[in-house]
Amino acid sequence: MRAGKFITFEGIDGSGKTTQIRYLADYLESLGYEILLLREPGGTKISEEIRRILLDMKNEGMEPETELFLFEAARSQLVREVIGPALERGAWVISDRFHDSTTAYQGYGRGLPLDMVHELNRRAIGDVVPDMTILIELGAEARKSRLGKRREDGQRDRLDVESEAFKQRVCDGFLAIAEEEPDRVFRIESQDNKEDTARLIREQVRRILL
């Protein structure tokens, strides 16, 4: 039985996951926990190379199935090389995205068969299932505003430029996941004040504090 805890953050790009992950990490570290922060795809040398391929704007012709397999390959490497060992030694692992993103983006967003997506997710993660998933929700107008700022900063990637219809399908996918697994996935509405959002997240995380 693993000694650590595994928390994942999900949501559409621009929802503020990165900021809230930092807030939560600071909070847990203040309580004395060892914290490991990760992002998907990435976290290992191999996974970061796959990330570069997946997000490169030059790869706009990538097929949905190719995209799916690459995400799962990066995840499989991360789970076995980093996440599993960290949990075994008692660390708290916080990841910016995990298997739910694949279900939402490649399943609901791209329209790939959900049975296939679920099976590949299971093969990639094995028994390393998150103890808790924080789904940060952001309205369409706020999402457009935040992504607009990313464009101005030159931070766009291949998924940022997808259509609004695609992004709405992804949001619907995340909601479907939350409805299917309410004991694991907790919906948090992004607040105007980042500290208010962080407070709501801490209230949920206290459920699994030792």
Side-chain angles (χ1 to χ4, degrees), residues 185-202:
V185 183
F186 295 88
R187 296 167 59 184
I188 300 291
E189 184 175 352
S190 181
Q191 306 295 303
D192 292 336
N193 187 310
K194 297 176 182 179
E195 289 283 359
D196 290 338
T197 306
R199 176 180 52 78
L200 294 173
I201 293 172
R202 286 195 298 270

Side-chain angles (χ1 to χ4, degrees), residues 3-4 24-36 89-92 209-210:
L24 180 60
D26 289 344
Y27 169 67
L28 291 173
E29 285 179 337
S30 74
L31 299 179
Y33 293 101
E34 176 192 353
I35 305 300
L36 176 62
R89 70 171 183 264
W92 280 55
L209 286 174
L210 298 179

Side-chain angles (χ1 to χ4, degrees), residues 112-185:
L112 292 176
L114 288 176
D115 287 348
M116 177 176 71
V117 174
H118 291 323
E119 176 60 24
L120 289 173
N121 275 338
R122 284 193 292 269
R123 289 180 178 274
I125 70 176
D127 61 356
V128 181
V129 178
D131 294 285
M132 172 177 285
T133 296
I134 302 296
L135 173 59
I136 301 181
E137 299 181 327
L138 188 67
E141 290 305 314
R143 183 168 71 242
K144 290 178 183 178
S145 174
R146 293 189 187 182
L147 285 178
K149 292 178 181 178
R150 284 166 63 120
R151 292 188 185 99
E152 292 173 2
D153 295 337
Q155 297 177 346
R156 290 189 307 171
D157 60 42
R158 194 174 59 83
L159 294 177
D160 283 338
V161 298
E162 288 290 346
S163 69
E164 191 59 33
F166 172 82
K167 293 169 185 174
Q168 187 57 56
R169 292 195 299 272
V170 171
C171 289
D172 292 342
F174 278 126
L175 291 180
I177 294 168
E179 291 176 1
E180 291 170 3
E181 299 187 63
D183 293 335
R184 175 178 67 85
V185 183

